Amino acid sequence: MRVALFVPCYIDQFYPQVAVASLELLEKLGCEVIVPIDQTCCGQPMANSGFASSTEGCDANFTNNFEGFDYIVGPSGSCVLHLKEHHPSEKIRNSVYEICEFLTDILKISSLQAKFPHRVGLHQSCHGQRGLRLSSMSERNEKPFSKLEDLLGLVEGVEILKPERADECCGFGGTFCVTEEAVSVKMGVDRIKEHDANAVEYIVGADTSCLMHMEGILRRQGSKVQVKHIVEILNHA
Amino acid sequence: MSAREEILGKIYAQSEINHPGDFQGASEDFDFKAALEVVGARVLTAEALEIEFPGRRRYEKILDGLSLAEVEVLEIDGEFGVAENGAIWLTEEALPHRVAPFICQHLVINVSKIVPNMHAAYAELNKPNSSFGLFLAGPSKTADIEQSLVIGAHGARSLTVVIRA
Amino acid sequence: MLSHAEASEKFIADAERTDWHDETLWFVREKRDKVSKVLPEWEALREHASQIKDHTLANLGSYLQAFEEKAQANGIKVHWAADAAEHNAIVHQIIADQGSKILVKSKSMLTEECHLNDYLANKGIEVVDTDLGERIVQFRNEAPSHIVLPAIHLKKEDVGETFHQHLGTPKGNKDPQFLTEAARQHLRGHFLASEVAITGVNFAIAETGEFVVCTNEGNADMGAHLAKVHIACMGIEKIIPKREDLAVFLRLLARSATGQLITTYSSHFHKPREGQEMHIVLLDNGRTRQLADPKYKNSLKCIRCAACFNTCPVYRRSGGHSYHQPVAGPIGSILAPNIDKKANADLPFASTLCGSCSNVCPVKINIHEQLWFWRQDLMAAGLAPVSKTIGMKLMAFTLAHPAIYRIGGVFIRRFSGLLNTSLNPWYKQREMPEAPKESFQEWYKKR
């Protein structure tokens, strides 16, 4: 299967290991992975700040890089949701997948050669969870499901631990994290407290932006807890 | 131009969206007594009521609600109870005064008919309307101070329900 | 006036109180979860309610006229007010005709929206708010911080002190039972003496011309049934087509609001009491403008349950007053800019767009999507600081040009250490991400 890997800008610049893991994992699973090299960003930072009208250039660049693909896969629920909801090209909107949903819904994988014998705290990122429906949500009266847990369940040795409020927002929120700094940090601190109560070694999620925010707090706290994108675990030998 | 014309003039007819009709598929398996307990009401048998509230009174229709301000225990009849939430439908016609179930200190309501849910309740009400009616569920309550539940805010301090055959 | 971010920072400075506020409202959200999850038809009820409201809003003009006609036939006087000023003038005239100088009022967010209390005070008329929470904040000269739990920002010590000052309760007594009893006695005096009562309206039924008022305390009824004149104030969006529809809304309202099965009192006012005058004031105040915009029309479905407040992780940690509007929280943040864009330009940004609000909403308002739309409209209206506009344009330009993006990336990674300064809001309480030696693209080219 021919897949274009969409690497969100901040992952490209600050978390290249997440993109590397995505690439390796997709290749391991038999995909032919192409990385369009002139890609930059999905346009979400501007749009969520109220400047969706300024994303034409960004949108056009995305279209130029990705239009030729039937499967555009990215390791970020938030960026993928933005593309699905707001990208002007229908072809793009219909072809873009968050990597977990791609693994469970398109590749339909049922086994993985991966091992990660650690206590892992699961972070449900809002845009992936409520926006892309990667898992059921506590707000609704619905049958529980979780694509993230299904995937982690394929990894040897992982112990999944959920925080008391299983799907509360971490407070990243894009530019919210700096414009509403006090609330943003308080929300992050509260999430981390619940993960700490479970004595987790790692906080794991499908959105690096949330993890970056919590990592910043963890490191300021001097905590030993680390953050990892779920693909880093799924790709962990 | 009057405000009425101004407002109505600003409301444009919009694309036709149909009313979804009556709600179908509502649960019916509810326990009225359990719901009464949840809303803070007490259920007594007719015999226990005699022991508990020997001094309770019924009142005739009156025009002056203020005259009920000193009523300690008022007994009234509810039209029916709703099993899903413990609410009891009361009408002005069956009350001494609209304010009666609120102004008395303690309230006793007799109920002899129970419907399963609110949909059934409104189906029941599909008769000529009362000039005033209410669903009453439990005693007056508030949690406005630190979310601590306190019974007896402004209305009746207790509700006792007698389910009569 | 402080912006939401500034007011929140002050609120959060009291960590203990913030945690209490967060946990208390989360507990209410959990109660809502419990009662909604035992009803297998919960999601279908939400959908049904949403559809009834869609239908009603699409036919609002005819339903308003039908309601007016029925209500008048029932002996209720119907008034129309285009804006807050007209609303207040109508209410004042009714009170003046009665000759009253003091009156009781139960909870009505609409009268908060119109600042009715201040208006009447200036005319020499005292309004006694009778909802316990509202009476508490009224004594303190504060606004309600939550539309269902008006005094949720206060601790019992605060209420004890307020009642000591205003009602003469013993200093230091902070027992909720005792304080509630003191308020009961105090307000009973007003109920018995008041000739005019104002109430809000939860639902008005076009088919019958009646209106429904829901309370737990019984304060709306105590006021309305003893007064000679009852004035009910409602926004034009409170109309629903028929009585049977109430079944759907009453099943959703209290369960969503507080996790109760139903409010203690759901009173159906159909005709005035014998010898009583009953008035209804129908208010627009920007609602028709909201109705005409397909992006925001849905916000008029709101039944004021405040479930979106209780679930909002931002509201729980910033308190209602940080929204500087009578209706705070996520729903307030999409209603307020319609009234005044400039004054409320911060509110649609007081959200992470997590989407929890839209999914607890009993009438399925797409709140977080409307927050997003408001962000666009506010920025298009030129309400961004110059620095933000320049920053965003620069970012958009960079991300549209891959070569510039690559150079910019190198630059940012190399000099990210310079951002470790107190001027950087990120760095205030968080470390910056560690910059890797090479970007993914750089790594990939060498692969």
Side-chain angles (χ1 to χ4, degrees):
Chain A
M1 189 178 284
R2 199 160 162 269
V3 170
L5 183 64
F6 158 46
V7 181
C9 52
Y10 72 100
I11 290 181
D12 177 37
Q13 296 297 335
F14 286 98
Y15 293 89
Q17 68 273 22
V18 174
V20 172
S22 304
L23 174 66
E24 289 179 355
L25 179 63
L26 288 168
E27 286 182 343
K28 258 191 230 172
L29 294 168
C31 297
E32 182 200 343
V33 184
I34 291 109
V35 181
I37 209 66
D38 276 339
Q39 59 174 301
T40 58
C41 169
C42 63
Q44 181 175 224
M46 287 81 77
N48 283 10
S49 302
F51 287 84
S53 58
S54 303
T55 62
E56 285 151 354
C58 199
D59 292 339
N61 186 61
F62 196 93
T63 307
N64 291 339
N65 277 278
F66 288 100
E67 207 169 26
F69 299 93
D70 292 332
Y71 296 103
I72 307 163
V73 178
S76 164
S78 193
C79 305
V80 167
L81 180 68
H82 173 76
L83 290 164
K84 272 196 206 283
E85 289 187 335
H86 300 295
H87 197 277
S89 156
E90 193 187 343
K91 172 80 198 305
I92 297 285
R93 291 199 301 273
N94 292 336
S95 310
V96 67
Y97 294 88
E98 187 280 330
I99 193 160
C100 294
E101 65 179 357
F102 183 73
L103 297 179
T104 57
D105 300 1
I106 304 298
L107 294 184
K108 297 187 168 51
I109 62 168
S110 56
S111 67
L112 269 176
Q113 292 292 319
K115 191 176 170 184
F116 197 75
H118 296 285
R119 290 172 72 83
V120 160
L122 187 65
H123 178 67
Q124 292 285 7
S125 291
C126 305
H127 289 176
Q129 186 201 20
R130 298 192 190 85
L132 297 172
R133 306 291 278 131
L134 296 182
S135 60
S136 52
M137 61 181 104
S138 61
E139 291 85 359
R140 289 206 197 163
N141 185 344
E142 65 184 356
K143 221 174 121 200
F145 65 93
S146 170
K147 294 177 186 177
L148 271 64
E149 284 179 70
D150 290 349
L151 290 171
L152 286 173
L154 303 177
V155 178
E156 195 187 324
V158 166
E159 192 181 344
I160 305 171
L161 298 138
K162 288 190 233 176
E164 199 186 325
R165 299 182 193 176
D167 53 9
E168 173 140 301
C169 178
C170 69
F172 171 67
T175 49
F176 178 90
C177 74
V178 288
T179 56
E180 288 265 3
E181 185 265 342
V183 182
S184 171
V185 171
K186 177 66 178 146
M187 286 167 70
V189 166
D190 288 352
R191 294 289 74 226
I192 287 167
K193 209 182 283 173
E194 290 182 19
H195 285 295
D196 279 342
N198 288 338
V200 304
E201 297 166 77
Y202 295 89
I203 297 176
V204 169
D207 240 312
T208 306
S209 51
C210 311
L211 298 174
M212 171 172 75
H213 164 66
M214 286 188 279
E215 183 184 47
I217 298 169
L218 284 166
R219 286 182 45 217
R220 180 64 61 88
Q221 289 177 342
S223 169
K224 288 201 177 84
V225 175
Q226 296 177 49
V227 300
K228 275 211 184 301
H229 191 285
I230 187 168
V231 291
E232 295 180 84
I233 291 174
L234 303 179
N235 188 48
H236 203 272
Chain B
M1 189 165 59
S2 75
R4 181 182 186 278
E5 282 148 16
E6 190 184 331
I7 293 168
L8 290 173
K10 281 188 198 162
I11 301 174
Y12 304 104
Q14 308 205 4
S15 63
E16 196 160 306
I17 301 170
N18 290 330
H19 189 287
D22 288 344
F23 186 79
Q24 305 295 326
S27 308
E28 296 193 342
D29 184 20
F30 297 104
D31 179 351
F32 183 52
K33 280 188 188 173
L36 283 171
E37 201 167 303
V38 171
V39 300
R42 216 162 45 136
V43 182
L44 287 185
T45 60
E47 298 74 37
L49 182 74
E50 295 304 329
I51 298 161
E52 189 83 13
F53 291 115
R56 70 186 190 282
R57 271 195 59 188
R58 284 176 175 274
Y59 287 80
E60 294 299 309
K61 273 240 165 285
I62 47 158
L63 277 178
D64 180 15
L66 287 174
S67 65
L68 296 167
E70 302 303 320
V71 172
E72 196 55 30
V73 185
L74 173 72
E75 181 177 354
I76 55 175
D77 297 324
E79 209 163 289
F80 59 84
V82 186
E84 78 160 299
N85 55 22
I88 297 168
W89 178 251
L90 304 173
T91 63
E92 176 165 34
E93 290 70 21
L95 295 170
H97 187 278
R98 285 183 190 188
V99 83
F102 301 91
I103 203 168
C104 64
Q105 296 293 324
H106 301 274
L107 185 61
V108 174
I109 307 182
N110 299 299
V111 180
S112 55
K113 180 175 185 177
I114 296 158
V115 301
N117 56 38
M118 290 300 282
H119 309 289
Y122 279 102
E124 195 69 31
L125 290 177
N126 207 8
K127 298 170 194 161
N129 284 323
S130 296
S131 50
F132 173 78
L134 80 145
F135 286 105
L136 182 149
S140 163
K141 51 183 92 71
T142 184
D144 274 352
I145 302 174
E146 277 201 8
Q147 274 293 288
S148 313
L149 180 67
V150 177
I151 303 294
H154 302 297
R157 297 174 189 272
S158 76
L159 171 65
T160 305
V161 177
V162 182
I163 303 168
R164 297 177 191 266
Chain C
M1 187 186 71
L2 296 180
S3 71
H4 181 272
E6 291 162 341
S8 304
E9 197 176 344
K10 282 180 75 173
F11 186 82
I12 286 174
D14 187 342
E16 204 181 314
R17 193 172 280 232
T18 305
D19 284 340
W20 182 85
H21 190 264
D22 168 56
E23 281 156 20
T24 305
L25 289 164
W26 180 255
F27 181 65
V28 180
R29 153 81 210 265
E30 283 184 316
K31 286 198 289 182
R32 170 258 173 218
D33 290 352
K34 273 190 204 117
V35 295
S36 63
K37 279 167 194 177
V38 296
L39 277 189
E41 66 264 39
W42 181 256
E43 299 300 332
L45 273 174
R46 289 176 68 222
E47 179 58 31
H48 203 86
S50 169
Q51 288 182 16
I52 293 171
K53 287 282 186 179
D54 276 335
H55 164 76
T56 314
L57 291 174
N59 300 282
L60 190 59
S62 51
Y63 278 129
L64 279 167
Q65 290 174 77
F67 173 76
E68 178 189 39
E69 194 184 312
K70 288 284 180 186
Q72 284 170 342
N74 294 339
I76 303 173
K77 287 181 185 152
V78 180
H79 310 261
W80 301 70
D83 54 25
E86 196 169 358
H87 167 270
N88 292 347
I90 291 167
V91 173
H92 175 246
Q93 191 57 52
I94 300 167
I95 302 164
D97 288 347
Q98 176 63 28
S100 291
K101 290 288 172 202
I102 183 164
L103 58 91
V104 289
K105 176 163 78 74
S106 68
K107 203 189 283 167
S108 151
M109 282 308 118
L110 180 133
T111 59
E112 294 284 338
E113 171 188 330
C114 296
H115 302 287
L116 177 69
N117 287 15
D118 290 344
Y119 175 89
L120 291 178
N122 282 330
K123 304 267 181 195
I125 294 164
E126 186 190 347
V127 177
V128 176
D129 282 328
T130 57
D131 173 83
L132 175 59
E134 290 215 312
R135 189 61 175 154
I136 294 167
V137 296
Q138 188 181 36
F139 277 145
R140 298 170 62 91
N141 265 321
E142 289 177 354
S145 67
H146 186 292
I147 57 175
V148 172
L149 318 164
I152 196 67
H153 59 292
L154 298 171
K155 303 279 291 183
K156 56 189 177 193
E157 292 80 11
D158 304 323
V159 179
E161 183 55 31
T162 301
F163 277 20
H164 170 65
Q165 284 173 25
H166 292 268
L167 298 179
T169 54
K171 195 170 176 65
N173 195 326
K174 54 182 185 182
D175 174 39
Q177 179 90 43
F178 175 83
L179 296 172
T180 302
E181 181 62 27
R184 177 184 171 101
Q185 298 305 334
H186 156 68
L187 288 167
R188 189 161 268 246
H190 284 290
F191 287 130
L192 298 181
S194 198
E195 297 191 314
V196 178
I198 297 177
T199 68
V201 170
N202 290 88
F203 306 97
I205 297 104
E207 180 190 39
T208 58
E210 71 193 318
F211 58 93
V212 175
V213 182
C214 304
T215 73
N216 280 319
E217 298 181 6
N219 57 314
D221 290 272
M222 280 292 279
H225 303 324
L226 290 173
K228 284 183 191 155
V229 179
H230 175 186
I231 309 168
C233 304
M234 63 176 267
I236 54 174
E237 81 283 17
K238 295 281 165 158
I239 295 273
I240 57 172
K242 44 185 190 145
R243 257 200 161 185
E244 284 78 2
D245 298 332
L246 278 170
V248 173
F249 291 107
L250 291 183
R251 294 187 83 192
L252 288 165
L253 178 62
R255 284 182 172 95
S256 297
T258 57
Q260 289 175 267
L261 301 176
I262 186 169
T263 48
T264 305
Y265 307 106
S266 309
S267 296
H268 299 48
F269 294 87
H270 191 208
K271 290 173 184 167
R273 203 176 70 238
E274 205 180 320
Q276 186 193 34
E277 241 181 67
M278 193 179 275
H279 300 262
I280 288 178
V281 188
L282 297 165
L283 176 71
D284 179 356
N285 206 32
R287 286 163 176 78
T288 49
R289 187 165 58 241
Q290 197 106 334
L291 182 67
D293 191 328
K295 298 196 297 292
Y296 306 125
K297 185 185 82 169
N298 256 342
S299 62
L300 294 173
K301 290 179 179 178
C302 179
I303 57 172
R304 301 292 191 270
C305 71
C308 63
F309 287 52
N310 305 336
T311 202
C312 180
V314 177
Y315 173 85
R316 277 187 265 110
R317 291 175 183 81
S318 59
H321 291 153
S322 65
Y323 293 79
H324 51 79
Q325 280 297 324
V327 180
I331 185 71
S333 299
I334 61 172
L335 294 175
N338 177 54
I339 308 263
D340 186 340
K341 278 200 183 82
K342 196 164 177 222
N344 300 306
D346 56 330
L347 297 183
F349 292 93
S351 162
T352 60
L353 305 180
C354 79
S356 186
C357 47
S358 305
N359 287 292
V360 293
C361 178
V363 289
K364 296 178 90 167
I365 302 171
N366 55 337
I367 303 175
H368 73 293
E369 290 171 6
Q370 294 193 38
L371 288 166
W372 191 89
F373 284 125
W374 271 119
R375 291 181 181 190
Q376 312 309 322
D377 282 0
L378 293 166
M379 295 304 99
L383 291 168
V386 179
S387 58
K388 180 178 176 180
T389 307
I390 293 172
M392 284 295 152
K393 300 265 178 198
L394 197 63
M395 187 192 252
F397 178 78
T398 306
L399 295 171
H401 298 86
I404 298 170
Y405 161 78
R406 280 192 281 270
I407 296 165
V410 171
F411 183 82
I412 284 183
R413 273 181 283 119
R414 188 156 302 160
F415 298 107
S416 66
L418 295 176
L419 293 169
N420 294 343
T421 134
S422 58
L423 293 174
N424 171 9
W426 176 282
Y427 187 70
K428 211 174 144 191
Q429 301 183 72
R430 284 167 292 212
E431 295 298 324
M432 292 291 290
E434 218 165 281
K437 283 199 188 69
E438 52 187 12
S439 70
F440 171 71
Q441 290 189 6
E442 287 164 356
W443 173 87
Y444 183 72
K445 275 176 198 158
K446 288 193 276 183
R447 194 189 188 211

